[in-house]
Amino acid sequence: MGTVTIGVSIAVPEPHGSRLQQLRAGFGDAAAHGIPTHVTLLPPTEVDAAALPTVEAHLAEVAAAGRPFPMRLSGTGTFRPLSPVVFVRVVEGGDACTRLQQQVRDASGPVPRELQFPYHPHVTVAHGIEEAAMDRAFEELADYEAEWPCTGFALYEQGADGVWRKLREFPFGSVVVPPQAGHVDRGSVSAH
């Protein structure tokens, strides 16, 4: 069967996702249209194609234990000079993203991936383009704002054409856990 390259991420919903993707393309990032706008939980990782069902089962377990949380993007940041990336900052929901990516990459699971850099939730808006265009992205999106309730994540596969395609969505709380005796769940959302 061979190997496939997968990734796990939280999609930036519409209309924000398309807008940021168009802006990324406008800055000259040729990869923009092949990469849905997202917050990474598992970076591109090569796995045996036969392991996909095991990976999906693991992700379903992680999602079942998860709960929706607020996500908010605000302003820009950069990893330069360490890495040629300009991004929109995750200012709310970052702690929840950090916990999720740790669970996805857990050493006991099917994708125990070590990271090249410490995890930092973000939305890439320019990568590997000329410095002037990187500066433009940083400046033009300095006042960017978006927010939405994060209700799950998805598994993607990178095709031979370099395009990332969604394989499956994993909504949070897909397994209903009965409340404890005397506990009433009013559907509150933690800000963590």
Side-chain angles (χ1 to χ4, degrees):
M1 271 184 103
T3 62
V4 292
T5 300
I6 62 167
V8 177
S9 63
I10 295 169
V12 175
E14 296 307 329
H16 315 297
S18 291
R19 172 144 170 70
L20 287 174
Q21 193 174 40
Q22 290 166 353
L23 288 166
R24 183 173 178 174
F27 297 133
D29 191 331
H33 292 296
I35 304 172
T37 308
H38 68 282
V39 175
T40 299
L41 297 177
L42 176 71
T45 302
E46 193 172 296
V47 298
D48 190 324
L52 276 177
T54 304
V55 171
E56 289 189 22
H58 170 65
L59 295 176
E61 283 182 23
V62 170
R67 295 293 174 258
F69 58 90
M71 286 283 286
R72 187 163 67 89
L73 308 179
S74 181
T76 52
T78 184
F79 294 132
R80 295 183 294 172
L82 191 59
S83 181
V85 172
V86 171
F87 57 86
V88 173
R89 296 180 308 124
V90 173
V91 296
E92 189 173 1
D95 289 345
C97 291
T98 298
R99 282 192 300 277
L100 278 173
Q101 66 86 29
Q102 288 170 334
Q103 293 168 337
V104 167
R105 296 184 309 102
D106 189 83
S108 66
V111 281
R113 167 83 193 264
E114 288 296 319
L115 299 179
Q116 184 178 358
F117 301 106
Y119 182 75
H120 182 84
H122 66 281
V123 177
T124 298
V125 291
H127 181 226
I129 58 176
E130 63 180 52
E131 287 298 316
M134 299 275 271
D135 293 342
R136 202 171 106 234
F138 187 86
E139 292 161 12
E140 287 184 18
L141 291 170
D143 296 327
Y144 185 83
E145 297 277 338
E147 59 184 78
W148 69 93
C150 178
T151 58
F153 55 85
L155 172 64
Y156 292 80
E157 180 180 343
Q158 186 177 36
D161 57 2
V163 174
W164 286 91
R165 293 175 180 86
K166 188 185 313 176
L167 293 180
R168 181 173 164 195
E169 290 187 27
F170 296 90
F172 292 137
S174 57
V175 174
V176 177
V177 178
Q180 297 173 340
H183 174 77
V184 177
D185 184 357
R186 290 183 166 62
S188 63
V189 176
S190 170
H192 297 287

